[in-house]
Amino acid sequence: MGPLASPAALEKFERGLPGDVETLLESRRLSPRGLDGCYASPSVHFVEQRRGRPYEREELFGPDLAIYPAASEEEAVEIANATDYGLAASVHTASSDAFDRCQRALECGVVNWNAPTVGASGRLPFGGLKRSGNHRSAALWSTLYCAAPVAVLRGDATLDRTKLASGISWVEAASLASVEAASLASSDE
């Protein structure tokens, strides 16, 4: 993984790490090959008791893995849906039926089967739910909601009077002006 985006992003990541759950691997700042930057090693946390902490609900932009024990598939989906965000999820199972059940129940825009949540394909729709997006797919599908289709019908530049619908007649402007003048004259009398 590369560095975080800025010193402020690194500090926000570090502040977001939980202090009240079991730490299996602690994150630390790094200077790979002597480089100065916003590098952090990965951290792994075991969250045995869910309490609705910000760490459990919010996105933590940095190299962190939270492990939650689940007694059932339904509980695992409940844990995954308990976040304020819904960009991507991965379901690791050999069963296509289990994957299909999870995919339908997960509240997110992308669900991967036996694949990581990183490295999304630009050939597929990509967008999130909840606070992870605008509920619209990106990538090649962006044009479907970034453009407003407009229908245009172009007729001939001149009117073909032989093609008027039955019962419709064409009145020349000069004839119409004389009819209006006669109508005005009769109303003055």
Side-chain angles (χ1 to χ4, degrees):
M1 176 171 171
L4 279 78
S6 67
L10 176 58
E11 290 170 14
K12 184 176 180 182
F13 166 69
E14 291 171 334
R15 282 192 314 271
L17 294 171
D20 58 348
V21 299
E22 184 180 353
T23 301
L24 303 176
L25 181 64
E26 190 170 352
S27 179
R28 59 187 171 78
R29 290 188 180 200
L30 300 172
S31 295
R33 298 186 191 129
L35 292 174
D36 225 5
C38 303
Y39 296 93
S41 68
S43 57
V44 179
H45 294 91
F46 185 75
V47 183
E48 189 165 7
Q49 295 293 320
R50 292 183 291 139
R51 295 191 187 115
R53 307 167 184 87
Y55 176 75
E56 298 169 38
R57 296 186 330 273
E58 298 175 1
E59 288 183 312
L60 185 59
F61 288 101
D64 180 69
L65 173 67
I67 299 171
Y68 296 83
S72 67
E73 180 182 296
E74 292 78 15
E75 185 182 6
V77 169
E78 179 187 325
I79 292 168
N81 287 340
T83 178
D84 298 342
Y85 297 86
L87 182 58
S90 291
V91 177
H92 295 268
T93 178
S95 166
S96 62
D97 290 339
F99 172 77
D100 288 340
R101 283 191 305 273
C102 291
Q103 179 272 319
R104 284 190 300 274
L106 287 166
E107 298 167 356
C108 60
V110 176
V111 182
N112 297 321
W113 184 11
N114 297 335
T117 58
V118 297
S121 170
R123 295 172 294 170
L124 299 174
F126 185 80
L129 304 181
K130 304 179 188 179
R131 292 178 59 193
S132 284
N134 56 11
H135 300 258
R136 294 185 171 121
S137 301
L140 297 175
W141 284 263
S142 298
T143 57
L144 298 178
Y145 62 84
C146 290
V150 176
V152 175
L153 175 64
R154 291 184 186 251
D156 293 329
T158 59
L159 175 66
D160 183 352
R161 293 184 189 137
T162 63
K163 293 184 180 179
L164 294 176
S166 64
I168 303 292
S169 60
W170 182 259
V171 178
E172 291 294 333
S175 300
L176 185 59
S178 63
V179 169
E180 286 177 3
S183 173
L184 287 173
S186 67
S187 66
D188 289 341
E189 296 174 359

